[in-house]
Amino acid sequence: MHRRLRKLGLYGFVIAIVISLVSLSFVQDETNQNELRNYTALQKTHLLELENYDFLMNEENLSFEIYDKNLDLTYYSGRRVDDDGINSQTWTTFLSEGLTVGYFKDNRIIQRSYTTLKGSTNFTYSPNGVKMKINLKDIGVELEMHLHLSDDGVLSIDIPGDKIVEKKKTEAVLTHIIPYPCFASSYGLQDDGYIFIPDGAGALINLGQDTIATKQYSERVYGDDIGILGHNGVLRNASTNPLKMVAMPVYGINYEDAGGMLSIINKGKEYASINASVKGIDRINYNYAYTQFYLREQYFKYVDKEGNGSITLLENPYVYDINLKIHLLEPKTNIAKMAQIYREYLINNNLLTKNISTNEEISMRLQFLMSENKPNIFGNAETTTSKVTSLQEYVDELYKNNVKNINVSALGYQKGGFSNPHYSRFSLSKNNNASHYLDLKNTLDNGSLSFAFDYGLIYQEARGYSPNDIAKTISNQEIYTFDKLTYPNEQNLEKRVLLNIAKIKEKFSLDEKELQKQIDQDVQIDISDLSNILYSSHFAYSASRKEVQNDYVALLKEANVKVNLSMPNDYMLSRANSVIDTDLDNSGFYIGFESVPFYQMVLSGYLNMYSKPLNLNYNRQSILKLIDYNVYPNFLLTEEDAIELFNTNSEYLFSSQMNQWQDKVILTYQEINNVLKHFQDTFVLNRIKLATGVYMTSYNNGFSLIVNYQKKPFTYDGKEVLAEGYLIIENV
Amino acid sequence: MKQKKLITLIISSLFVFLFLMSSLTSLTREIKASAPYGTMTMGPDNTLVATQTAYEPNELVTAEFTNPQDLVYDHYEETLIVADTGNARVVILDEEHQIKRVLDEELSSPTGVSFDEIYYYVADKTRRVVNVYEKDTGVLHKQILKPDTPLFGLSSPFTPTKVSVNPKGIYIISDGATKGVIQMNIEGEFMGYVGANRTEKSFASFLQDIFFSKQQKESILKAAPPSPNNLSFNSQGLLYTVTSGDANAPIKKLNTLGNIIMSPSYGVKKIVSISIDESDNIFGVTSDGQIVVYDSFGNLLFLFGDINEYTERFGNLKQPTAISVLPNRKLAILDSETSAIITYQTTDFANLIFRAVDYYVDGLYLEGQALWEEIIQMNEMFILSYKALAAANMKLGNYELALKQYELAEDRNGYSEAFWNIRNIWLQNNLLSLFWVVIGIIMGVLALYIVYRRTKIFDRIALLFRKLNSLKPTKQMTFGLKFQRQPSDAVYLIKYEGGAGVLSASLLYVWFIALQVLNVLITGYLFSSRNIYNTQIFELVFFSVAPLFLWIIANYFVSTVSDGEGKLKHLYIGTIYALTPYLIFALPIFLLSRILTLNEGFIYTLANVLIYGWCVVLLFKNYQEMHDYSFSKTIKNILLTAVCFIFFILAVYMLYMLSKQLFDYIAQVLREVLRNA
């Protein structure tokens, strides 16, 4: 009897172990935020009591906690889990402390946090914040950092540029500053948690799944500065499908059951990069996102024509103020809410103004390549690819088919064609004179006529400029880069060069004047480059990134014509009449590839947005995306067959004959218009993923739009959304 | 005792269970992401052109692989077989990409996998065996070891890296084997080698063969042909080999005798693996992360995938090792660096292409016509479309349209056939009229001749012609005709009696240049080697005239030191007159080329050979008479002129390089001075 009982007991014990192990293997590695130990509680602290928040400052390591009295929620500037297994002082201080800097010493860049640099601070408290005078004794650096928490939950972090003092320059010099790198960070997998990164249209890093990425997300705001990086920068970006730029310097973190944040880089964005990492990368299991502000950069200094040289650090630092505006977010904050917050920020800072034209129907952009430079036996010659008189007939035909509000854009309209215009003169290409354009403009009903031109990044074979007109890198090389259009066909890294601001101004002013004089006062100009590139310039036209930015903005501010901009960076939004060639994708990084139309959600209801040429990627999914993202259609067409463009820089236009595309243009417009005409002048309230490939976007007009990208129907609330279809419903 | 055994049994079961739990997990993520690469296809002039995205990355499958080296889709079981080399196992994934079975018996480093209806075959490089496992149980059925038959070769290596099986037998790629793919029957008995690559003789090796001694030849590395490093079969059991080291023909399709019957025209370097679908389309992946798709004829359909070492983007590969085609032409690619399988699915555009290609390769041109027209609309640079449409139009009798389309497709054979039909129809319609026109011309000429001979109506005109002929310029311009009949006398007249002058010779040089341009513009498409896109007039003129002048100068220099009598001026004049056959007959031949088909190409070739031959003879005679050389001395003179000519080119090139360096140096110094100022 006893034996049997013992046996039963043994069996039972074994089975229990097995069951426990099985259940453990299916349990996700999840942290319960509420049980994480608060390191700060035992150290030297100072408490500020605000109306809605308690702000607890840790004077030992500059970290803090913010307690939201209304939501009973705590936000941590950085914290560690008890048993995270990290022993490295570098990592432990990075995760916990309020200031991390990089400095150059002994021929390498070292990154350390506050306490490891023997930091000491003088604190001056105010009702809403603290001013810290920080001394990093180990490297002889002094700086100030100010924290201010508003009653509506916006934490402002300021580091005045003129207060940064380097006292031991011969030993160590600052390269970068990272304030509060682990604000709102978390440990391990987080169900329904995500980090939003402004990669192209936008991307989400899913915190609920293990990643196979081995690299952090780390991208410069406004893209790499080729003025500093030179050839290496071009090499990094050259691709048949280049990386998308960060046009809006904002990022955020959201959790299911903990506070998140939306961080807007208010000052210093020209010298900042946005970084994000998740569990599984960097050998630690934390999820975090931060801004790194560069004070000095490394560049390759050439010593001879053969390309020999060495990596050198900039001698003098960039001097600028740093300001981060961190919005405290409650749990389960929708990405649409983040977009709203950011839009309000843009409006309040005069970076975005409403510039939307609404009619009964939506508008469509039709761009036509008028002429191109083509080689023949006698050299290169301008070839007419479209005649304005034909465009007029074409537009008339579209009107008959109820295609309304057509905005016509002429590309390659100057003598020499698209790739060989003259940069010191203005004349129209052959076979298309000013009166033709005027007639066309008068035909356009509720539409506009614009003229597209590349003012900054020009083809090397263009005319009317000299080597002195080309902007230079810090190594005194010409700023050149690959051409996104022709790179898939020919991998030429030096296809385009960047003109300096003086030449750009000269050409822009000339074009503007002549277009208005010869054609009409009301013409518009389309610009595809100045709005989304930002390279510092050196030597003859020495200008920092910030100064170049100011120059470009000033140029367009003084313009007497409306300007349509391609995927403009935030500082250019106020100058844009509309957004053209809108990116609908992100770069597809392993760390974060889930698409989210953040850029479009910010601008929806404020600026009309047009897609990239649909004829180059015409499929059902593309049409659905336009509907989903509230973006209007655009086609790039020619009168001649596309095969005539072979062996030219417009060879990428593999399908463009306007008559062949006519039916598709009409059908596409009609379909998109039938949906989006209801969503003009509206902004997004909410966006949720109903299933893989099914999204519902709710607008402030009381309606929601469900888009089903799947190849099978989807049912929502008893209503069927067709396969690769959409449905408009009333908001719940 | 019994209790102890029981406890041992329980504990060991627990460990086995735990081990299985840890391995029986895989993760599949369906991802909605756009392609991080551009897609190319074959365009005009044999260049790559952009096209719509054909494949989009779709799923990411991870199953704790370590350095996996091979992957194949088993259509019998609808599973994926993965050689998980670093973990010494083979993993079978089901349709949902969940682990169905693991094979690890007697495995150290499996690098190649294959299957048939009953067994799995695994090549183990370290153990130098091919293991055969039963599908039903996963148990090791047998091992195929190195054949011990003398036919195999005692010193031949047997290090299996890849294996592939078809009803005819087992085919093994062995590391270091140069005799080709090892062929065994299903029982594992050695049958022979197949698909060996041949050594390509280069000009350098040709010279080595002639000039090197036996010892020297032995001391240099033998040019062993690169060995195939992967293989695949189509549904008919025909073998395809992959040889990464063969830049010209990395993929070869072999017939049952082992002869190459097809190799894709556009070779892509560093192909590591291929897979063939049921339509014999070929899908390959390179070690650079590029994916290439050919149709069964070897025409390039798509090339995509980007290589960028700086970024990690979904859809870009890092170190692909294997590719396999799944149902619906989905692709599964194994990446050993990320230890993951990435699947790619077709877009609507690619589906359209594949449907159209299926019709085309089956010869169903009319059935595929609508599809190809749709494709042309979507991409006018997709050259294969024109070929297919041309074939359809040929069937419909639309020869004019077919002609244009064949020209766009750069298919000379098709163009020739279409042109033959057009010409045939024209002749049928117009032969009678042509006959009467020719008769009319002959009668007219005869009549004029009779009138001329019997009346004085044309006397004034005849007198005018005689006066014109007697003028010096006319005599000089027509001097070439005398050169043809009596070259020796002609040269004498040039040297001593001013039979032809510099001016008339210069005019003929101008005509010569004009003929180079007319050659490009007029010569019929079938016989033209140049195209207008990549020919520039300056280059054309320079490269046709410069060598000629350089030759004349070289000949003058050589002749001067070898007692030649010819002066530079006379050589200048004599050379162009010696080319009179070309000057007279080139244009008619250009025009003739426009009405010939490839079948009559011999006429064109013969005419050119005769003209050039005649010119060579006249040139020879020219130099012989000009310098007053004997036959053998003339030959010597010409050979020395050739050597001198080469030296001139080298000297000009070096001068150009030195000047460029000097100019760059001065420019750099000036830049530095200005910068520091």
Side-chain angles (χ1 to χ4, degrees), chain A residues 537-596:
Chain A
S537 178
H538 304 266
F539 294 96
Y541 282 93
S542 181
S544 66
R545 249 190 151 186
K546 181 70 184 168
E547 284 162 348
V548 169
Q549 184 192 115
N550 291 341
D551 285 338
Y552 288 168
V553 171
L555 173 72
L556 297 187
K557 205 169 179 177
E558 288 155 14
N560 295 319
V561 293
K562 288 184 181 172
V563 183
N564 303 306
L565 300 177
S566 169
M567 203 65 189
N569 293 331
D570 62 335
Y571 54 85
M572 281 292 204
L573 287 169
S574 59
R575 309 264 65 85
N577 176 56
S578 71
V579 176
I580 55 178
D581 294 333
T582 313
D583 254 325
L584 303 180
D585 301 309
N586 55 56
S587 304
F589 289 114
Y590 270 128
I591 191 174
F593 41 69
E594 192 175 328
S595 283
V596 63

Side-chain angles (χ1 to χ4, degrees), chain B residues 440-452:
Chain B
I441 290 170
I442 294 169
M443 298 298 286
V445 167
L446 268 173
L448 280 171
Y449 182 72
I450 292 167
V451 168
Y452 167 66

